[in-house]
C-alpha cells in the first residue's frame, strides 16, 4: 500500500479514537515510521507534501486534519 495511504490509515485510527480533528501524536515520527515500515525521512517528506496540499498541518506533538475527505476511501 502506498505510504500516503498508510499515513491516512494511521491518522484515521487516531481520529476515531480521539474524536477530534486535532490529533495528539502519542509517539515520535521515528516510531511512526517504524510502525509503517518506512524511513523517518520518507514519512516527513510525505507529511510535508500533505501539508503543502492543505490536507493537514502539524508540529512535533499534534497533527490537525484540515480536510476530512482524506478519510473517504
Amino acid at each position: 500500500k502506498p505510504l500516503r495511504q498508510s499515513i491516512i490509515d494511521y491518522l484515521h485510527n487516531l481520529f476515531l479514537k480521539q474524536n477530534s480533528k486535532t490529533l495528539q501524536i502519542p509517539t515520535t515520527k521515528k516510531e511512526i515510521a517504524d510502525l509503517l515500515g518506512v524511513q523517518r525521512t520518507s514519512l516527513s517528506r510525505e507529511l510535508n507534501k500533505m501539508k503543502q496540499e492543505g490536507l493537514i498541518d502539524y508540529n512535533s506533538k499534534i497533527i490537525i486534519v484540515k480536510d476530512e475527505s482524506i478519510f473517504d476511501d
Side-chain angles (χ1 to χ4, degrees):
K1 138 169 45 169
L3 174 56
R4 178 171 290 209
Q5 190 57 52
S6 295
I7 293 169
I8 289 170
D9 290 348
Y10 176 79
L11 296 179
H12 194 224
N13 279 335
L14 289 179
F15 177 77
L16 293 173
K17 284 180 188 170
Q18 298 179 16
N19 198 27
S20 172
K21 287 175 29 167
T22 302
L23 306 173
Q24 303 295 323
I25 304 305
T27 60
T28 64
K29 280 194 193 129
K30 173 72 174 122
E31 290 169 321
I32 295 169
D34 289 346
L35 178 73
L36 300 179
V38 298
Q39 296 292 320
R40 189 199 52 77
T41 52
S42 299
L43 174 66
S44 293
R45 193 176 311 118
E46 191 61 38
L47 288 172
N48 275 323
K49 281 185 200 171
M50 293 173 75
K51 184 175 184 174
Q52 288 172 350
E53 292 170 19
L55 303 174
I56 62 170
D57 197 3
Y58 69 92
N59 63 34
S60 60
K61 296 290 178 203
I62 64 167
I63 294 178
I64 300 166
V65 178
K66 297 176 103 178
D67 184 353
E68 282 183 61
S69 72
I70 64 171
F71 300 141
D72 300 340
D73 210 345

